[in-house]
Amino acid sequence: MAALKYRFFEPLPALAAQNAPVMAGDGLQLIVGKLQGQIAQFAAYPRLFADNAGNAAAKNWTVPAGVYALKFRLIGPGASGAVGQNSGPRSGGGGGGAGALCEGTLRVSPGQVIAYRIPPGGSAAAAWLLAETGDARIVAGAGAVGAANGVGGSGGTAAVGADHAGGVIGLPGRNGRGGFSATLALTIHDDGGDGADTLLGAGGRGGKDANGGAASGHGAGGGGCPAGNTAGSGGAAALLLEY
């Protein structure tokens, strides 16, 4: 999977709570000091932290000095596609569903420890930021595996705690596409469904009398396939922080 690169389009709120504005009564030395602090701050703005390694264990990230707001995007793990069936009815397997999406802006303090979890693709565990339960939770659920009868897997669900009302949105992941079986020129062809795409890349393509494709996008679903083949794997969850 390609390296994760992303930039948010909307500006962050001002981060310079420690850099007071220049006042009419300030002396020259104080004015120069304030301006130097502001120039140094914005010379490095924005910065990006990204984790898409896919790990079942929770991790921590420490807010750097001078940072008072984070803009984030969190996407849950994508599911694998399904292997189809030869009877009852015959069909290619459905594509895997995509992980849910959460994004918004958080007010933070320098030195604050931010906990998060970014599960690997195919995991049923949700990705989360700050907390998995309670009012502080920001949870991006995992997509569901496609079905052998051709039904695409459902997208993951999002949950946002009351602490973030108005500042964070949660959106469900897309469903995987359905697989099917068709007879062309007296020959039966089984096609797997495509895995669901995400904003961070494409789902795996469904196998047409062949293996399903692996997701190339973070949180995207894997492609389904006919019986006797191998379904594609889903994409790992991802967390992006801009500050």
Side-chain angles (χ1 to χ4, degrees):
M1 190 173 292
L4 187 59
K5 296 181 180 180
Y6 187 79
R7 282 291 183 272
F8 294 103
F9 298 105
E10 298 178 4
L12 281 168
L15 307 180
Q18 80 282 16
N19 292 327
V22 174
M23 306 299 291
D26 289 346
L28 178 60
Q29 184 174 359
L30 183 57
I31 291 174
V32 171
K34 288 181 176 179
L35 292 177
Q36 286 178 335
Q38 293 173 5
I39 291 171
Q41 177 188 355
F42 288 104
Y45 171 83
R47 292 168 288 178
L48 181 71
F49 168 81
D51 189 345
N52 61 308
N55 194 314
K59 299 180 181 180
N60 292 319
W61 180 80
T62 302
V63 178
V67 174
Y68 292 85
L70 297 173
K71 193 169 181 68
F72 77 91
R73 174 166 284 176
L74 175 71
I75 193 161
S80 62
V83 176
Q85 58 191 26
N86 287 326
S87 61
R90 179 168 178 161
S91 178
L101 170 71
C102 296
E103 67 177 22
T105 300
L106 301 175
R107 296 288 179 177
V108 296
S109 300
Q112 180 179 345
V113 177
I114 304 294
Y116 68 94
R117 182 176 68 190
I118 303 297
S123 172
W128 55 262
L129 179 65
L130 294 180
E132 188 174 10
T133 59
D135 289 344
R137 72 187 185 280
I138 300 174
V139 180
V145 179
N149 65 1
V151 177
S154 59
T157 57
V160 178
D163 289 355
H164 313 293
V168 177
I169 61 170
L171 300 172
R174 295 176 178 174
N175 296 338
R177 295 194 174 187
F180 63 93
S181 181
T183 301
L184 300 174
L186 302 180
T187 301
I188 297 175
H189 297 273
D190 297 330
D191 289 358
D194 292 342
D197 298 337
T198 70
L199 293 177
L200 299 181
R205 300 304 92 181
K208 304 181 185 301
D209 296 320
N211 295 334
S216 60
H218 303 287
C225 67
N229 291 271
T230 302
S233 57
L239 172 65
L240 304 101
L241 302 174
E242 190 171 287
Y243 55 96

